[in-house]
Amino acid sequence: MRLNSLHMVNFRQHVDTRIEFDSGLTGIIGPNGAGKSTVLEAIAWALYGTPAARGTRESIRSLRAGPRASVRVELDFDLGGHRYRVTRGLTNAELYLDGASTPIANSITGVTELLRRRLGMSLDEFFNTYFTGQKELSVMAAMGPSERAQFLSRVLGYERLRAAQALVRDRRKVISAEAAGLRAGMADPDAVSRALVESAQRQRLAQAQLAQASARRERAKAGLEAVAPQWAAAQAARDQLQEILAELRVAESEEAAAARELERVDRELAELATVREELASLTAQVAPLAAMREELARLEHLAREEGKRNALAESERSLAEELERLRQRRARLEQAPQLEEQAQVDLEARRAALRASEEQLQEKRTEWVRDRQEAETKRQALRQQYVEVKEQHDRLSQLGEEGTCPTCARPLGDHVRTVLEQLDEQLEVLRVDGNYYRNRIEQLEAMPAELAALEEQRRLAFEESSRLERRLAKCQAATQELSQVTKELESKAQWHAQVAAELAAIPAGYDAARHRTLEGEAARLRPIEARVGRVSAQVEREPQLREQHRAATAALAQV
């Protein structure tokens, strides 16, 4: 395999790089990260696809390229006396042979599989032999001598030579076996000589028999030529006799057919007299049928009109009932607009009262909560102050007159009693104030009666407002229904007037009994009318039958 050129587009570090390989060794020099290994990776990727590249398929695209930029590697190389050009992208691949414009493979899998067969090695074998790193030959070191020999033989193509040698050995064995079989099947020379002598004797005997048969054949031919005219005359007489017999059978058949036709015509002519009498009787019976049909047509029209009259009468009755119901409904709904206005006014007034009640309730509730919190805060402050004064009183009591003031560091002396008395008075005041605020808190635990009354007042106002809202909704629905009922009433009134007009225009005078009687009589006369038609057709055929009788008589005489 010899590389000719490599073109990389958006492949890792190479945005658009083209390399031409000359004959001999090619060295690639550059700093770390410049893309030296990427050139080798692009060659392997062009031959074996994604498994030969590092990372994922998306990491192959150059960081300097856009997210949808195409990635392409084109490799041109010579192998086995042919020139190949493979073009591979992330989603497509094509392989061209010897500069052709049409690819011999145009899918990723097809190109990879075809190159693997042409190269004669898999991806692992390729990466462990011709295309390998300096630290990646450990796979061969780990092999035993026989495994290494088999591996190198497979890579260098020695296995194909061994396979060819095996085929030659097998072919030589087959040819040797065929030659031995042919030699075993050949006969003994003495037996072949005896067979030739016997065959010559049989040939001379057969030639003598052939001469005798030829003489007999000539004598038979002469006898055949002598009787040939007699045979031809006999054949002609036989053919003439067969023609005469055939004509005789045809004539007899025609005579019988003519006799049957004449008999049929005579029979039908004899029946015509009886048919004429029957036709006269039937014609008299069906004479009233035409007038009956006209009257039936008129009665059927009146029957249809009568059915329409009944349907319209039922519709008129239903519409009249519907109109009365709608008028009553409209009378009940006529007060709905006034009731809606009054309900709207009452609802606004009740909502205003509800808002005022809620504002007053909120104000009183806020004042109650504020007083309670203020009482709890003051009580807590008094308790804290009481603890501090009590601690000061107890400390001074322990120090006595000989102690030192903890504040100014001077001897207490006689002043200790005065200070203790002041502290006792202060503790008493704090105790009284604390009791007051404790009682105040207990008083504020329960909701004040005024606040409870306001809460009840707000609840009643809310319920009344809800009731008025429901009443307003009913009035609004009734107002809408009034409009619908009015429109429906006008539509039904127009429809009722139209039905009444159509009902008045329908003619009267339908007699159902007469109609049933005429239908029964017409049903009875229809078969008779059909029989009259058939009999008339028979009578009308009399001239035709006379002509058929003359023709049958003439045909019978001719036969």
Side-chain angles (χ1 to χ4, degrees):
M1 176 179 180
R2 181 185 179 280
L3 301 180
N4 297 321
S5 65
L6 176 66
H7 186 200
M8 297 172 286
V9 178
N10 294 327
F11 189 83
R12 298 200 186 279
Q13 297 95 325
H14 300 276
V15 176
D16 190 359
T17 304
R18 184 181 296 276
I19 301 174
E20 298 291 338
F21 297 98
D22 293 332
S23 60
L25 296 177
T26 300
I28 303 174
I29 303 173
N32 291 335
K36 302 186 298 298
S37 300
T38 302
V39 174
L40 302 178
E41 184 182 5
I43 295 172
W45 187 67
L47 295 174
Y48 289 98
T50 303
R54 297 167 294 174
T56 62
R57 199 173 70 168
E58 290 302 324
S59 64
I60 295 175
R61 182 182 283 109
S62 175
L63 297 177
R64 291 179 289 173
R68 296 184 180 273
S70 63
V71 178
R72 181 169 58 86
V73 171
E74 181 176 337
L75 178 64
D76 190 301
F77 61 94
D78 294 333
L79 176 65
H82 295 280
R83 186 161 186 168
Y84 296 88
R85 181 169 63 88
V86 56
T87 303
R88 188 181 293 273
L90 293 178
T91 59
N92 63 318
E94 293 179 345
L95 179 62
Y96 298 86
L97 179 64
D98 294 334
S101 60
T102 303
I104 60 175
N106 57 2
S107 66
I108 294 177
T109 306
V111 169
T112 303
E113 184 63 22
L114 182 57
L115 285 175
R116 187 192 65 79
R117 293 198 304 268
R118 295 295 172 90
L119 291 172
M121 62 183 67
S122 64
L123 176 63
D124 293 336
E125 294 171 348
F126 183 74
F127 269 87
N128 288 315
T129 53
Y130 297 105
F131 193 92
T132 183
Q134 58 183 354
K135 298 179 181 179
E136 297 177 356
L137 287 174
S138 59
V139 63
M140 295 186 64
M143 294 181 180
S146 60
E147 294 177 348
R148 190 181 303 113
Q150 292 176 1
F151 177 72
L152 291 176
S153 296
R154 186 169 61 255
V155 171
L156 297 176
Y158 291 165
E159 287 188 351
R160 289 195 291 272
L161 294 176
R162 292 195 181 92
Q165 291 174 353
L167 291 175
V168 170
R169 285 194 298 271
D170 294 340
R171 181 59 178 166
R172 183 176 60 187
K173 292 178 181 179
V174 172
I175 293 174
S176 299
E178 290 179 355
L182 290 174
R183 284 193 296 268
M186 294 178 64
D188 183 35
D190 296 336
V192 173
S193 299
R194 290 193 297 272
L196 287 175
V197 173
E198 293 176 358
S199 297
Q201 294 177 357
R202 288 197 299 273
Q203 182 181 12
R204 289 192 295 272
L205 178 61
Q207 289 176 351
Q209 293 177 353
L210 177 61
Q212 296 176 3
S214 297
R216 289 195 301 272
R217 178 176 176 277
E218 292 297 330
R219 290 193 297 271
K221 185 177 181 181
L224 178 61
E225 290 176 355
V227 298
Q230 300 176 4
W231 171 255
Q235 289 290 330
R238 184 178 64 82
D239 294 340
Q240 184 178 5
L241 177 60
Q242 289 179 351
E243 291 178 1
I244 293 173
L245 292 176
E247 291 179 0
L248 180 59
R249 286 193 293 271
V250 171
E252 290 175 351
S253 176
E254 291 179 355
E255 181 185 12
R260 288 194 298 273
E261 179 67 14
L262 184 61
E263 183 180 357
R264 179 188 65 78
V265 173
D266 289 339
R267 186 171 58 255
E268 292 186 5
L269 287 174
E271 292 176 355
L272 282 179
T274 306
V275 170
R276 287 194 188 92
E277 295 178 358
E278 183 181 2
L279 178 61
S281 174
L282 294 175
T283 302
Q285 295 181 27
V286 299
L289 188 58
M292 191 180 301
R293 282 177 175 165
E294 293 180 359
E295 187 176 359
L296 268 176
R298 183 179 63 81
L299 288 175
E300 286 175 357
H301 174 70
L302 291 176
R304 289 192 296 270
E305 294 297 326
E306 185 67 19
K308 186 177 180 182
R309 177 199 297 277
N310 295 333
L312 289 175
E314 181 64 24
S315 299
E316 183 186 19
R317 183 185 62 77
S318 300
L319 287 173
E321 294 176 356
E322 185 68 16
L323 286 173
E324 181 62 24
R325 184 184 64 78
L326 291 174
R327 292 190 184 98
Q328 294 176 2
R329 182 60 180 168
R330 186 178 63 177
R332 289 194 298 270
L333 295 174
E334 286 178 349
Q335 300 298 324
Q338 294 82 0
L339 294 176
E340 181 181 357
E341 293 178 0
Q342 184 62 37
Q344 186 69 34
V345 172
D346 295 343
L347 179 59
E348 292 298 330
R350 182 54 60 186
R351 285 177 176 173
L354 178 60
R355 286 193 295 271
S357 177
E358 288 180 345
E359 291 175 358
Q360 187 178 3
L361 175 63
Q362 186 65 27
E363 181 180 356
K364 292 296 183 181
R365 187 188 299 276
T366 302
E367 182 179 352
W368 172 50
V369 172
R370 185 177 63 249
D371 291 345
R372 182 176 174 181
Q373 291 178 349
E374 182 180 359
E376 290 178 350
T377 302
K378 288 184 177 181
R379 184 189 178 196
Q380 186 66 25
L382 288 172
R383 293 178 66 181
Q384 184 67 27
Q385 187 177 359
Y386 180 83
V387 171
E388 293 175 356
V389 172
K390 186 70 170 63
E391 289 178 354
Q392 185 177 2
H393 180 276
D394 294 340
R395 189 165 55 253
L396 290 176
S397 297
Q398 292 177 0
L399 293 174
E401 295 179 357
E402 297 178 356
T404 301
C405 180
T407 303
C408 60
R410 292 183 297 179
L412 291 174
D414 296 337
H415 296 286
V416 66
R417 289 191 298 272
T418 304
V419 174
L420 289 174
E421 290 177 357
Q422 292 177 356
L423 291 176
D424 288 337
E425 291 178 358
Q426 190 175 358
L427 287 174
E428 184 62 25
V429 172
L430 291 173
R431 187 182 300 109
V432 172
D433 291 344
N435 291 331
Y436 169 76
Y437 281 107
R438 183 186 63 189
N439 295 331
R440 179 63 176 166
I441 291 173
E442 291 177 354
Q443 292 175 359
L444 294 175
E445 281 292 333
M447 182 183 294
E450 183 180 4
L451 187 60
L454 289 174
E455 179 70 25
E456 181 64 19
Q457 182 180 354
R458 187 199 66 81
R459 186 186 64 79
L460 295 176
F462 180 78
E463 291 180 355
E464 182 64 18
S465 177
S466 300
R467 186 185 65 79
L468 289 175
E469 288 177 353
R470 292 192 296 272
R471 181 182 177 186
L472 177 61
K474 290 182 180 180
C475 292
Q476 291 174 348
T479 303
Q480 295 177 357
E481 186 180 358
L482 176 61
S483 176
Q484 296 175 356
V485 167
T486 303
K487 292 180 181 179
E488 187 176 1
L489 185 60
E490 293 176 356
S491 176
K492 292 292 178 64
Q494 294 178 358
W495 190 7
H496 181 267
Q498 181 180 357
V499 170
E502 292 180 0
L503 186 61
I506 294 176
Y510 174 68
D511 188 351
R514 176 61 178 169
H515 191 187
R516 289 192 297 272
T517 302
L518 289 178
E519 285 182 342
E521 186 65 18
R524 185 184 67 81
L525 293 178
R526 285 192 193 97
I528 300 176
E529 183 183 21
R531 177 62 179 166
V532 167
R534 292 192 296 272
V535 172
S536 299
Q538 291 180 0
V539 173
E540 291 173 356
R541 288 182 67 246
E542 183 178 2
Q544 183 180 0
L545 290 175
R546 297 294 182 185
E547 181 63 27
Q548 290 177 359
H549 186 273
R550 286 194 296 271
T553 304
L556 182 60
Q558 183 179 1
V559 171

